[in-house]
Amino acid sequence: MKFSTSLIAFGMAAATAAMPQPRVDKPVGKWFDRYVVIVFENNNKDVTFGHPYWYNLTEMGMVLGDFHGTTHPSQPNYITMISNTIAGGVFDDADHNTTQMSLIDLFEPAGITWRAYMEGYTPLSNGGCNPISEDDETLYVRKHNPFMSFDNIRNNTKRCRNIVNAEQHFENDVALGADAPMYMFITPNLDNDAHNTNVSYAAPALQHYVDTMLNNADFMKNTMILITFDENDIYSPKYFGTDNNIYSVLLGNDTIQCYNCNDQQYYNHFSQVVTIEQNWGLDYIPQPDGSEEGWDQWWLPFGLLRNDGQDICASSPCDFFN
Ligand SMILES: *[C@@H]1O[C@H](CO)[C@@H](O)[C@H](O)[C@H]1NC(C)=O
Ligand SMILES: *[C@@H]1O[C@H](CO)[C@@H](O)[C@H](O)[C@H]1NC(C)=O
Ligand SMILES: *[C@@H]1O[C@H](CO)[C@@H](O)[C@H](O)[C@H]1NC(C)=O
Ligand SMILES: *[C@@H]1O[C@H](CO)[C@@H](O)[C@H](O)[C@H]1NC(C)=O
Ligand SMILES: *[C@@H]1O[C@H](CO)[C@@H](O)[C@H](O)[C@H]1NC(C)=O
């Protein structure tokens, strides 16, 4: 395949006597060639596993049964999904601008394409980043869009063009099949992500994303989808003080070693970063001051991708509720 593509490229270049462009091969992942994450809000895992649609997905994929939000409240959880510290003092839900680096700084030199899909988000007319805190009509909030906090993304129009309105772009991008972005981050609006609602309300929104992807075999080739939450429902008295344990399920039968199975290793949102770094052979995310403080060195990649001989699938029957 690669050989014949090169031949065609060479033939065309020769015919037009143009300088052939160097052919950049797509980086090939160790476990997956595309990573998709969809992030929901503020629910305890017993509630989520207890809902029929969300439970149904556990039978189609691999449950990460001991997955934790990194912290509270929302925003720093999102930051830790794409970076290596709770960057630049982003410990609350207020707007912050940070000089920290992120996965994006690793993706671009490696040729890993990316896009962030934000429901209800309106970029500036030139595609630049719109730093508004919230849009009361569309229920977009900046605190659920971690990319916006990084100066080297928010100040860079080219990068900003990869942060798009989900409603306008997600389906078209999935329809690109094999050519869809290799890293896709999806944030539903405050109703669809269960923040202002609950997991029953959010289920059809989730199903729309899941079905759009699963119905496209070219897109799903070597694709891994993580469905997760930012944090648990710490704000309800019932769960106050409990462990920050959340529903997280991986889908994609080309990439996970088993479905309807349960990986009981401890994970948190930094594990996403570690999984992505190790999948594409990327370095750790650098610290702007050159220090080695990065927390992406401390966690394991998702277990059933590690293929290290552990038969975690044998741990059924799955006990998701503990
Ligand atoms: C389970 O989820 C899949 C994917 O969205 C969907 O096609 C199927 O109808 C669902 N089944 C049930 C029983 O909810
Ligand atoms: C994975 O394969 C199994 C068996 O064919 C199927 O039941 C399940 O729905 C598949 N999961 C996904 C996400 O396609
Ligand atoms: C962050 O930078 C944007 C411009 O990129 C600016 O509009 C906003 O006020 C800054 N926010 C903070 C909290 O410094
Ligand atoms: C990014 O924009 C912020 C606010 O506009 C500014 O303070 C900062 O110096 C800029 N940083 C870079 C790296 O361009
Ligand atoms: C979820 O919210 C809907 C309204 O959108 C409500 O009808 C339903 O009872 C709620 N379900 C639960 C389990 O709280």
Side-chain angles (χ1 to χ4, degrees), residues 25-45:
D25 283 312
K26 259 191 184 178
V28 174
K30 188 169 159 193
W31 303 301
F32 48 84
D33 291 327
R34 175 174 301 103
Y35 181 93
V36 182
V37 57
I38 315 178
V39 188
F40 293 85
E41 279 276 323
N42 300 4
N43 269 273
N44 260 50
K45 72 172 195 171

Side-chain angles (χ1 to χ4, degrees), residues 75 79 82-83 87-90 94-105 108 114 128-131 142 145-161 163 288:
Q75 181 162 258
I79 296 284
I82 67 166
S83 190
V90 184
D95 293 351
H96 291 276
N97 294 336
T98 174
T99 57
Q100 295 288 124
M101 298 188 187
S102 71
L103 279 176
I104 305 311
D105 297 296
E108 288 179 350
W114 65 279
C129 281
N130 182 349
R142 173 178 158 157
N145 177 358
F147 304 91
M148 203 55 77
S149 294
F150 292 82
D151 284 352
N152 74 12
I153 300 176
R154 193 189 60 262
N155 291 0
N156 178 330
T157 306
K158 188 160 170 274
R159 287 181 164 189
C160 290
R161 290 193 177 120
I163 306 171

Side-chain angles (χ1 to χ4, degrees), residues 44-304:
N44 260 50
K45 72 172 195 171
D46 54 347
V47 172
T48 316
F49 282 118
H51 182 275
Y53 181 73
W54 297 80
Y55 187 83
N56 165 42
L57 295 182
T58 70
E59 297 180 326
M60 301 173 68
M62 185 174 91
V63 173
L64 303 176
D66 197 15
F67 199 113
H68 299 254
T70 331
T71 183
H72 299 288
S74 291
Q75 181 162 258
N77 285 290
Y78 287 81
I79 296 284
T80 58
M81 295 182 207
I82 67 166
S83 190
N84 61 339
T85 59
I86 301 179
V90 184
F91 292 105
D92 58 29
D93 280 339
D95 293 351
H96 291 276
N97 294 336
T98 174
T99 57
Q100 295 288 124
M101 298 188 187
S102 71
L103 279 176
I104 305 311
D105 297 296
L106 305 183
F107 285 167
E108 288 179 350
I112 296 163
T113 54
W114 65 279
R115 238 177 182 191
Y117 303 83
M118 300 285 143
E119 286 189 7
Y121 170 67
T122 312
L124 303 181
S125 57
N126 67 351
C129 281
N130 182 349
I132 54 160
S133 302
E134 57 190 29
D135 184 325
D136 291 341
E137 268 171 38
T138 66
L139 303 179
Y140 162 84
V141 284
R142 173 178 158 157
K143 64 182 177 178
H144 297 169
N145 177 358
F147 304 91
M148 203 55 77
S149 294
F150 292 82
D151 284 352
N152 74 12
I153 300 176
R154 193 189 60 262
N155 291 0
N156 178 330
T157 306
K158 188 160 170 274
R159 287 181 164 189
C160 290
R161 290 193 177 120
N162 285 332
I163 306 171
V164 298
N165 176 274
E167 293 89 330
Q168 284 171 15
H169 292 277
F170 181 75
E171 284 177 41
N172 290 342
D173 284 6
V174 172
L176 296 172
D179 295 328
M182 297 161 74
Y183 174 85
M184 300 167 80
F185 188 111
I186 302 163
T187 302
N189 69 40
L190 287 176
D191 278 350
N192 288 337
D193 72 1
H195 180 280
N196 292 355
T197 58
N198 58 33
V199 293
S200 313
Y201 186 96
L206 170 58
Q207 177 159 5
H208 179 72
Y209 283 110
V210 169
D211 290 351
T212 303
M213 293 188 278
L214 297 189
N215 289 337
N216 187 320
D218 293 336
F219 176 88
M220 283 307 298
K221 180 103 185 88
N222 297 335
T223 289
M224 192 177 80
I225 302 167
L226 172 66
I227 299 160
T228 191
F229 283 72
D230 66 332
E231 59 181 329
N232 78 337
D233 184 16
I234 191 79
Y235 308 102
S236 84
K238 184 174 171 198
Y239 296 113
F240 185 75
T242 57
D243 202 7
N244 196 358
N245 214 322
I246 50 177
Y247 172 106
S248 291
V249 173
L250 294 175
L251 298 178
N253 280 337
D254 288 352
T255 60
I256 60 179
Q257 285 184 36
C258 60
Y259 61 89
N260 195 16
C261 56
N262 186 8
D263 174 358
Q264 294 277 27
Q265 172 69 44
Y266 175 97
Y267 301 112
N268 62 28
H269 291 307
F270 285 121
S271 313
Q272 292 194 54
V273 175
V274 173
T275 299
I276 289 162
E277 288 170 347
Q278 294 193 15
N279 179 65
W280 277 303
L282 306 172
D283 224 330
Y284 298 123
I285 297 171
Q287 293 289 95
D289 64 0
S291 72
E292 291 182 14
E293 179 195 343
W295 296 354
D296 49 346
Q297 307 179 24
W298 296 356
W299 312 101
L300 288 172
F302 300 143
L304 292 187

